[in-house]
Amino acid sequence: MNSRTIKTLLGPVLCALVYFLLPKSIFAEPGARLAIGTVVWMAFWWITAPVEYAVTAFLPIGLNALFGMTEMQAVIGNYASETILLLLGASVLTVSWGEVGLDKRIAAGFLSLVGGNLRTQLIFWFILSASLSAILPNAVVCATITPIAVSMLNYVGEKNIGESKTASLVLLTIVYATGVGGLASPLGGAMNLVAVDYIEKVTGQEYMYTSWVVRFLPIMIVLIISNLAYLLLVCKKGTTLGGSKEYFKKQFEALPKMTREEKWSFVLFAAATIMSFTRQFYQSFLPGLKPAYVFIICAIVAFFITHKDGTRLMMWKNAEKKIVWELMYVFAGGLAAGTLINGSGAAEAIGKAMAASDMDGGFMTVFAIVTLTVLLSDVTSNTATAAVSLPIVVSIIQGIGKNPIPYIYIAAIGINLSYLLPTSIRAIPVGYGLKPKYMLKHGIPVTIMVIILMSVLGWILLKYWAAFSTV
């Protein structure tokens, strides 16, 4: 029996072991135990890769059809969600870059600004991604920044992302920063707005977004420093992308003038990105024009771009071969796994087990909340984690007679941070070639570091947050 066959068979074996070994006293529903087993199966196959990542992503559909863990419509809906459409639109637009040579121009432009030193590159991509994620949905930021970075990496010869430590580290930096940046303000994602909603329910007052920014400032400083420190630590000193800033500047200046086709390709991607980033300005009179649909509309328009001789720049039969389909399926599979965890009652069972433990609101309570939310965010979406964990946290803290608002803030930290598995936005770099095994390798130490740091800092800030919170 060869290695691939063994890895293939170990997936369902691990699922079965989880199903039979999980305590029925906590996970009374068979579907809950099987849902957790399914996630373990998917994680094992994603890490060991006995089959393509996209194949693993369809496991939730097959297993749910056989065992009925939750409503099938809820599972299937993940494979045609708004975010999937956003990723499809962005992928089509970046295909047009390659058709006209815009990918080389963008890559040379970024390299001429930042230079080839890898550590400088990591700092640049981290700050850029984190800053944008502070005011924009994480998926939008990651979906637009990642292909730009990939174009740059391809330009310098890093064609195989999965086999290149340099390229993998750049994509890992972007997805780490996107998660961290999302915590900076309530606008960083729907999970933060769920937390704001609970704060308003507890206080009975409107919540000012500036309060969030002020309270999370020390958290953000520690997260940025610690995440960047880890990334720079694993980056060998002196590693470059193959040239100096001056060299890439000359390369950029030597490029011919932008063609008409290049300009159209650039305008479409820029328009989709800008409209996604400024939705608040037109949301009231175009409520249905969400970022996903903006990207799809611009992708449709891309197929009408013509050369000077009237021939079309892109034809579907050619474009479909270059679209990163695996990106969308892996993303959808992660969402579907989270649907199984939530719909089967597994997440609720974990929360109830936590509520039943003896907590007094001190350090161990903070540690438990951070650990639960960080790990739960790795197997389901950040928003789903918020919806499941926050009511549990509020009921626990109110049950012991303490102010729940500081603990909502603590839960919000973990809800935004996850590093281990190719679920949620972490599926995006994997779709572009980053190996889940590489993600897990670095995700384990970063997760441990973040849980410890955030637990200690959250515990220290409890009194400060409580002093400026009213119930």
Side-chain angles (χ1 to χ4, degrees):
M1 192 178 293
N2 59 36
S3 173
R4 180 173 176 272
T5 303
I6 293 172
K7 291 173 183 175
T8 301
L9 294 175
L10 274 176
V13 168
L14 287 171
C15 178
L17 285 174
V18 169
Y19 177 82
F20 289 111
L21 293 179
L22 281 176
K24 293 182 181 180
S25 58
I26 297 175
F27 302 97
E29 292 295 326
R33 300 196 299 276
L34 186 57
I36 296 173
T38 301
V39 171
V40 172
W41 181 349
M42 293 175 71
F44 180 78
W45 272 11
W46 270 332
I47 293 162
T48 59
V51 292
E52 290 79 5
Y53 303 143
V55 175
T56 301
F58 288 107
L59 276 176
I61 295 177
L63 293 176
N64 194 55
L66 289 171
F67 302 105
M69 289 171 271
T70 188
E71 290 291 327
M72 183 57 88
Q73 274 307 121
V75 176
I76 293 175
N78 293 293
Y79 295 82
S81 66
E82 286 184 2
T83 305
I84 299 300
L85 294 176
L86 187 151
L87 296 174
L88 174 59
S91 188
V92 169
L93 291 174
T94 52
V95 165
S96 74
W97 294 0
E99 296 294 321
V100 298
L102 181 62
D103 54 344
K104 293 184 176 65
R105 189 178 300 277
I106 291 173
F110 271 96
L111 286 164
S112 68
L113 290 172
V114 185
N117 182 276
L118 184 56
R119 287 190 169 183
T120 305
Q121 284 279 339
L122 297 185
I123 294 171
F124 168 78
W125 291 112
F126 193 99
I127 298 301
L128 175 65
S129 302
S131 300
L132 291 174
S133 288
I135 54 173
L136 303 164
N138 293 354
V140 174
V141 175
C142 202
T144 52
I145 296 297
T146 302
I148 294 173
V150 170
S151 294
M152 178 200 71
L153 292 166
N154 290 340
Y155 179 77
V156 296
E158 300 287 358
K159 302 287 186 181
N160 193 333
I161 302 294
E163 299 302 323
S164 168
K165 290 183 179 179
T166 298
S168 295
L169 197 55
V170 170
L171 297 198
L172 204 63
T173 297
I174 292 170
V175 78
Y176 281 9
T178 305
V180 169
L183 183 62
S185 81
L187 299 175
M191 59 281 184
N192 295 343
L193 296 177
V194 174
V196 168
D197 185 58
Y198 273 94
I199 292 173
E200 291 180 337
K201 286 178 180 177
V202 170
T203 62
Q205 301 171 3
E206 182 182 358
Y207 184 80
M208 296 294 106
Y209 286 6
T210 52
S211 299
W212 181 290
V213 176
V214 171
R215 283 162 176 75
F216 279 99
L217 181 60
I219 297 287
M220 289 301 301
I221 292 171
V222 172
L223 280 173
I224 291 171
I225 292 173
S226 59
N227 277 251
L228 258 179
Y230 177 83
L231 291 164
L232 296 177
L233 183 66
V234 298
C235 174
K236 289 184 180 180
K237 190 176 181 180
T239 304
T240 70
L241 296 178
S244 65
K245 185 175 180 179
E246 290 71 25
Y247 168 78
F248 290 119
K249 189 174 181 179
K250 289 179 181 178
Q251 291 281 311
F252 180 67
E253 291 173 348
L255 289 171
K257 192 176 179 180
M258 281 186 79
T259 64
R260 171 177 166 274
E261 295 85 354
E262 272 187 276
K263 290 176 181 177
W264 267 111
S265 186
F266 175 78
V267 166
L268 285 175
F269 189 85
T273 303
I274 292 169
M275 287 189 71
S276 297
F277 289 177
T278 57
R279 174 164 161 72
Q280 65 269 27
F281 296 115
Y282 62 85
Q283 184 176 8
S284 59
F285 57 90
L286 284 174
L289 194 59
K290 296 181 181 180
Y293 310 135
V294 171
F295 270 92
I296 285 294
I297 291 171
C298 289
I300 293 170
V301 175
F303 285 97
F304 290 92
I305 299 175
T306 60
H307 295 287
K308 287 184 178 179
D309 61 5
T311 59
R312 284 166 56 188
L313 174 68
M314 290 203 305
M315 300 287 286
W316 178 256
K317 63 182 179 181
N318 297 323
E320 66 176 343
K321 299 172 185 176
K322 300 176 183 178
I323 292 171
V324 191
W325 295 107
E326 191 168 54
L327 158 64
M328 285 160 269
Y329 296 139
V330 173
F331 193 100
L335 294 178
T339 298
L340 293 183
I341 292 292
N342 290 311
S344 67
E348 186 179 355
I350 294 170
K352 287 181 178 178
M354 177 181 164
S357 60
D358 186 18
M359 294 192 180
D360 60 3
F363 176 77
M364 289 310 298
T365 303
V366 173
F367 178 78
I369 293 172
V370 171
T371 303
L372 172 67
T373 49
V374 167
L375 297 181
L376 197 56
S377 292
D378 254 306
V379 295
T380 184
S381 71
N382 305 86
T383 305
T385 299
V388 169
S389 63
L390 286 174
I392 295 170
V393 169
V394 171
S395 63
I396 291 172
I397 301 306
Q398 286 180 332
I400 59 177
K402 290 186 176 288
N403 181 355
I405 294 178
Y407 297 89
I408 293 175
Y409 288 137
I410 289 168
I413 297 170
I415 288 165
N416 277 270
L417 304 175
S418 38
Y419 301 88
L420 297 171
L421 299 175
T423 52
S424 191
I425 59 168
R426 293 169 301 286
I428 295 174
V430 170
Y432 281 97
L434 178 69
K435 291 185 175 180
K437 187 176 181 180
Y438 183 87
M439 179 177 286
L440 182 69
K441 173 187 173 183
H442 291 288
I444 291 173
V446 174
T447 297
I448 294 171
M449 173 186 72
V450 164
I451 287 175
I452 293 171
L453 285 175
M454 294 300 100
S455 296
V456 172
L457 188 55
W459 178 62
I460 292 171
L461 290 171
L462 267 182
K463 289 184 179 179
Y464 164 75
W465 283 339
F468 291 92
S469 302
T470 58
V471 181

